[in-house]
């Protein structure tokens, strides 16, 4: 009986070894094989060429924007005469009068709010309201006169000057910074709520899965924030151009140039972010694939040596 039992155990061990050896090649065949870096580069180039052929307007605007960013510079420098006229007109703006009018309006508004009831306004309240409205009218008139004089000074400089280009750059960087701040705040809240949901619902989720989900959320937040910043910048760009009293054709050309440059910068920034994220994920996946194949190959070699 002992001899028969040993023979059965040997036969079972041989069958299990044979099944293991048959399962290893199947696992290796079923393992998804990632493309090599050279093949991946060719895929990206072909995809880029296909997108450029399907969207010539977008591609042309992007390339033109890149050219503007590289060669545009900071605008033409003002001549001595232009600078003197610009400074002379800007010096006629009475900032002290605007400050005093703003202070009078603030005090009148405080007096009106102090005497106004929830749903009623007595005689004293009506008098304070009239004073507030007169103070506001005076402030608006002073500000309108100041904006008119500032517009005259900007018309001397011109849209393509260092004054016009500098103002557009300051506006773009302000909105771009606000878009990034929005993305950072939103990503912080998303990370907190995603971690809270994972802990409270008891999900069986690994750190790798959580990191990938968080990475996609961060990319989505930055895309949303920067696209909104680009849209708001383009929407407000015309109000800047209008202050320079430029020729309509020059104004339209300047608007298209600045819009293409802003689009190229935002698109390049997002493409760099997505490329860095995709490259990092691809590198980690390629390393894991290499380690898995090496482990399978080592197990097969050990099994082959053991069978001998």
């Amino acid at each position: 009986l002992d001899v028969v039992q040993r023979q059965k155990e040997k036969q079972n061990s041989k069958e299990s070894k044979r099944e293991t050896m048959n399962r290893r090649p199947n696992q290796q065949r079923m393992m998804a094989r990632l493309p090599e870096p050279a093949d991946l580069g060719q895929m990206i180039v072909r995809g880029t060429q296909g997108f450029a052929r399907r969207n010539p307007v977008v591609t042309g605007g992007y390339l033109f924007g890149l050219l503007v960013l590289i060669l545009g510079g900071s605008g033409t420098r003002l001549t001595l005469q232009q600078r003197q006229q610009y400074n002379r007109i800007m010096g006629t703006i009475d900032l002290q009068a605007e400050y005093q009018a703003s202070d009078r309006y603030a005090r009148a508004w405080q007096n009106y709010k102090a005497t106004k009831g929830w749903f009623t306004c007595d005689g004293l309240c009506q008098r304070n309201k009239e004073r507030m409205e007169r103070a506001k009218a005076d402030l608006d008139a002073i500000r309108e006169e100041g904006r008119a004089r500032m517009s005259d000074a900007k018309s001397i400089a011109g849209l393509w000057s260092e004054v016009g280009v500098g103002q557009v750059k300051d506006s773009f960087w302000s909105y771009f910074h606000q878009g990034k701040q929005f993305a950072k705040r939103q990503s912080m809240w998303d990370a907190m709520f995603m971690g809270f949901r994972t802990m409270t619902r008891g999900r069986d989720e690994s750190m790798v899965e959580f990191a990938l989900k968080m990475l996609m959320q961060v990319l989505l937040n930055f895309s949303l924030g920067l696209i909104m910043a680009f849209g708001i910048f383009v929407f407000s760009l015309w109000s800047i151009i209008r202050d320079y009293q430029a020729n309509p054709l020059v104004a339209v050309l300047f608007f298209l140039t600045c819009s293409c440059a802003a689009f190229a910068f935002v698109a390049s920034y997002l493409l760099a972010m997505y490329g860095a994220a995709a490259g990092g994920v691809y590198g980690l996946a390629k390393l894991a694939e290499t380690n898995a194949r090496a482990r399978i190959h080592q197990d097969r070699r050990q099994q082959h040596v053991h069978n001998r």
Side-chain angles (χ1 to χ4, degrees), residues 259-280:
S259 299
C260 290
F263 168 72
F265 185 85
V266 171
S268 300
Y269 191 92
L270 291 177
L271 287 175
M273 284 189 61
Y274 278 94

Side-chain angles (χ1 to χ4, degrees), residues 31-43:
M31 183 180 298
R33 188 175 185 85
L34 294 174
E36 296 298 326
D39 298 334
L40 186 62
Q42 294 178 359
M43 292 169 59

Side-chain angles (χ1 to χ4, degrees), residues 101 104 131-143:
R104 286 195 300 269
R131 294 191 186 97
M132 181 197 69
E133 291 175 350
R134 287 196 301 269
K136 187 177 186 304
D138 294 340
L139 177 61
D140 291 340
I142 293 174
R143 285 179 173 175

